[in-house]
Amino acid sequence: MKKKYVTKLIVLAAALTLALNGCASGGAEKPATEENAAAETETAQEEGADTSAETEAAQEEGADTAEETPDAAEETADAA
């Protein structure tokens, strides 16, 4: 996956996390501290890394399937 899209995904995850935290707390925001900001940023980065790893695994699986498809077609043709 392109780095640009991963970065956007991390930013969206962070924004969503912040929005959901605001809703869950009844709209009362936590006092902004460096510790809270650092924790939220770290969480967003971890979620982005997890998503990136899942995307990479899906791409590899797609590549494997693409390699297997011609083999399966040949086997089917041979069986016929």
Side-chain angles (χ1 to χ4, degrees), residues 15-62:
L16 182 60
T17 301
L18 291 172
L20 291 175
N21 285 341
C23 292
S25 65
E29 294 187 26
K30 299 177 196 173
T33 63
E34 288 181 24
E35 188 175 299
N36 288 345
E40 290 175 1
T41 301
E42 183 178 333
T43 301
Q45 287 173 343
E46 288 172 359
E47 289 174 1
D50 290 345
T51 303
S52 181
E54 290 170 3
T55 302
E56 187 176 325
Q59 288 173 341
E60 289 174 5
E61 187 174 321

Side-chain angles (χ1 to χ4, degrees), residues 2 9 26 28 30 40 47 57 59 65 67 73 75 77 79:
K2 294 183 180 179
L9 185 61
K30 299 177 196 173
E40 290 175 1
E47 289 174 1
Q59 288 173 341
T65 302
E67 290 174 4
E75 289 175 10

